[in-house]
Amino acid sequence: MVEKRTRLSRDQVLAAGVELADAVGIEALTMRKLGEALDVKAMSLYHHVANKEQLLDGMTDLVFAEIDLPDDTDWRTSMRVRAFSARTAMGRHPWALRLMGSRTTPGEATVRHHNAVLGVLRRAGFPLALAAHAFSVLDAYIYGFAVQEQSLPFDTEEAPTELAQAILAQFPTDRYPYLAELTARYVESHDYNYAQEFTFGLDLILDGLERALTVGAAAYTPARE
Amino acid sequence: MVEKRTRLSRDQVLAAGVELADAVGIEALTMRKLGEALDVKAMSLYHHVANKEQLLDGMTDLVFAEIDLPDDTDWRTSMRVRAFSARTAMGRHPWALRLMGSRTTPGEATVRHHNAVLGVLRRAGFPLALAAHAFSVLDAYIYGFAVQEQSLPFDTEEAPTELAQAILAQFPTDRYPYLAELTARYVESHDYNYAQEFTFGLDLILDGLERALTVGAAAYTPARE
DNA sequence: GTTGTAAACTTACTTTGTAAGAATGAGGCT
DNA sequence: AGCCTCATTCTTACAAAGTAAGTTTACAAC
């Protein structure tokens, strides 16, 4: 009659954490609720994670693991693919974004990912300093864009730009003419979409990097390299 | 003998919140501690802010107010100045960064700032769509960079790169050769610094925007404009 | 069986946000 | 002056959450 109780593993706990956070949001993810989801009391979780912090670290790393590692087609498309992949993963797990901002100890997937990105760049001929720069711009942009995308009320299926207007309406609209213009036009012509916005910035950055690589490779290469 | 009790105002509460968060970190900012700092019981704060959420919203907006508004010198230096100013403000209030990621209702300073940025771009001749794109890339980059800068252990006065190595050392170093190379070289040549990293990406983006503005202005301008 | 040990449970404490209502006190009205 | 009013502050209290400490359970090797 009693169901066979399968023992929990750390991986199961982390996976359930991701699932629960996806479902109810990260702020509603409590140890007790996670326990319930796993059919276990809250305190049992502490045999698999040291504390909630570590649980969140692990969950963050799981999300990182979802991002495609760049392969060795040319560096440009490789970076492009991983950028889109990262954006998709963030879209799947909105909470992960905010966690990444607060977490300081990267997990294994995170490290692996960073290493792979650097590898692609280095093998494509980026001098070390330029590779570091490229990594920095790209990551900052991808991350920053994803955060914006989620903070802003655009692009949601429900109430696409109405919310934006509601927010703006709180303030004397005529004092912020440029913002008003922007939102007005977007209400009017609904062809604005975030995917294309993302692409613009990404390609702009990739263009810049390409130029830096071909034109200025010498400049970025220290004498000894 | 009894000191004259000056009445609290919402502004005082927000300002004290910022100060306290700067001092002890955002996670240690509790209503009770904030009350103490203002020589008042926790519940008294609720006459000036509806709840803690709103307090954090207000604090975030205060930080935004610290960022210089762009003026109408040429758009490029204008954007550059505000980018550095934003980075500085974030540096002063590290917690604000993470808050911005979670807060969805922008305050007045935030709206004013966004409007001013758009204004500079529009007056400099950016077609609306391009202005929107420019705004998006720049903000994503500035924000994303600031987050990275604070998550990563580089650039801190104490233990500049040692922490980075400690983290990396958790994993089999030879499995992540490119990361190892990066950190190793930075230990060796200590001339790496984040300010210059920030500048690289920023100028790269500004270059790209300039090109888009001059070369491709026609392309971004819809027929009716 | 006996026993050792990892996993799960029970209980309980602390910290935090905040609801509800009582006390206080400053400014205006008569 | 005396009183009213109402914003501000305080008191008390509760519920939710993280987690410490110690106990129980159950499987596995002898």
Side-chain angles (χ1 to χ4, degrees):
Chain A
M1 207 63 240
V2 180
E3 301 168 19
K4 170 159 198 163
R5 171 178 282 304
T6 38
R7 307 281 263 253
L8 237 44
S9 70
R10 180 189 162 92
D11 287 345
Q12 283 174 66
V13 172
L14 296 183
V18 170
E19 198 178 342
L20 189 55
D22 285 349
V24 302
I26 195 70
E27 61 291 320
L29 172 72
T30 72
M31 296 305 271
R32 291 175 226 259
K33 290 227 193 83
L34 181 55
E36 254 173 61
L38 287 164
D39 220 4
V40 134
K41 292 292 147 66
M43 286 313 289
S44 304
L45 301 173
Y46 285 90
H47 268 266
H48 303 99
V49 288
N51 47 39
K52 197 178 183 183
E53 283 286 287
Q54 204 175 92
L55 169 71
L56 297 179
D57 282 341
M59 288 168 54
T60 305
D61 202 49
L62 264 191
V63 173
F64 242 100
E66 284 185 20
I67 304 175
D68 292 336
L69 284 183
D71 57 4
D72 267 313
T73 54
D74 70 309
W75 68 268
R76 228 191 124 121
T77 54
S78 186
M79 287 299 108
R80 218 158 175 280
V81 166
R82 87 140 181 143
F84 283 113
S85 175
R87 192 168 95 101
T88 307
M90 298 309 174
R92 258 197 301 271
H93 314 291
W95 47 269
L97 212 43
R98 281 176 292 162
L99 284 189
M100 287 179 192
S102 9
R103 245 104 279 294
T104 55
T105 45
E108 177 134 27
T110 310
V111 172
R112 186 192 352 268
H113 182 92
H114 290 342
N115 182 70
V117 170
L118 277 174
V120 167
L121 295 174
R122 289 293 275 147
R123 287 193 297 275
F126 281 67
L128 186 60
L130 187 58
H133 287 153
F135 182 79
S136 170
V137 213
L138 283 170
D139 257 37
Y141 176 68
I142 295 169
Y143 179 87
F145 186 91
V147 170
Q148 272 185 208
E149 180 171 25
Q150 278 176 19
S151 307
L152 263 49
F154 300 133
D155 203 49
T156 0
E157 12 270 305
E158 28 78 58
T161 36
E162 286 153 34
L163 183 51
Q165 288 202 295
I167 290 174
L168 202 61
Q170 292 176 306
F171 306 102
T173 313
D174 48 325
R175 288 186 52 192
Y176 307 110
Y178 295 105
L179 258 184
E181 176 193 36
L182 188 68
T183 45
R185 293 268 202 106
Y186 280 145
V187 173
E188 163 189 334
S189 73
H190 203 340
D191 53 20
Y192 179 74
N193 87 343
Y194 248 79
Q196 124 190 3
E197 191 74 68
F198 182 60
T199 307
F200 174 87
L202 182 59
D203 285 335
L204 185 150
I205 291 172
L206 290 174
D207 283 349
L209 291 176
E210 186 153 18
R211 199 159 1 244
L213 177 61
T214 58
V215 175
Y220 286 102
T221 312
R224 65 175 174 279
E225 194 163 9
Chain B
M1 211 61 239
V2 179
E3 301 167 18
K4 170 161 200 161
R5 172 176 280 306
T6 37
R7 306 282 263 250
L8 236 44
S9 70
R10 182 189 160 90
D11 286 346
Q12 282 174 68
V13 171
L14 297 183
V18 169
E19 198 178 344
L20 188 55
D22 285 349
V24 304
I26 196 71
E27 61 291 320
L29 172 70
T30 72
M31 297 305 272
R32 291 176 227 261
K33 289 227 195 85
L34 181 55
E36 252 174 63
L38 287 163
D39 219 4
V40 136
K41 293 291 147 66
M43 287 313 290
S44 305
L45 301 173
Y46 285 89
H47 266 267
H48 304 100
V49 288
N51 48 38
K52 196 180 183 182
E53 284 286 286
Q54 204 175 95
L55 168 71
L56 297 179
D57 281 342
M59 287 168 53
T60 305
D61 202 49
L62 263 190
V63 173
F64 241 100
E66 285 185 19
I67 304 176
D68 292 338
L69 284 183
D71 56 4
D72 266 312
T73 54
D74 70 310
W75 69 268
R76 229 193 123 120
T77 53
S78 186
M79 287 298 110
R80 220 160 175 280
V81 166
R82 88 140 180 142
F84 282 114
S85 173
R87 191 168 96 101
T88 307
M90 297 310 173
R92 258 196 301 271
H93 314 290
W95 47 269
L97 213 42
R98 282 176 292 163
L99 283 190
M100 287 179 192
S102 8
R103 245 104 278 294
T104 55
T105 45
E108 177 136 26
T110 310
V111 172
R112 182 183 5 258
H113 182 91
H114 290 342
N115 182 72
V117 171
L118 277 174
V120 167
L121 295 173
R122 289 294 276 148
R123 287 193 297 275
F126 281 67
L128 184 60
L130 187 57
H133 286 153
F135 182 79
S136 171
V137 214
L138 283 171
D139 257 38
Y141 175 68
I142 294 169
Y143 179 85
F145 186 90
V147 170
Q148 271 186 211
E149 180 171 26
Q150 277 175 19
S151 308
L152 264 48
F154 299 132
D155 202 49
T156 1
E157 11 269 305
E158 27 78 55
T161 37
E162 285 153 35
L163 183 50
Q165 289 203 295
I167 289 173
L168 202 61
Q170 292 177 304
F171 306 101
T173 313
D174 47 325
R175 291 185 52 191
Y176 307 110
Y178 296 105
L179 258 185
E181 176 192 35
L182 189 67
T183 44
R185 293 270 200 104
Y186 280 147
V187 172
E188 164 190 333
S189 74
H190 203 339
D191 52 20
Y192 178 74
N193 87 343
Y194 248 81
Q196 125 191 1
E197 192 73 69
F198 183 60
T199 306
F200 174 88
L202 181 59
D203 285 335
L204 185 149
I205 290 172
L206 291 174
D207 283 348
L209 290 177
E210 186 152 18
R211 199 158 3 242
L213 177 62
T214 58
V215 174
Y220 285 102
T221 311
R224 67 174 173 280
E225 195 164 7

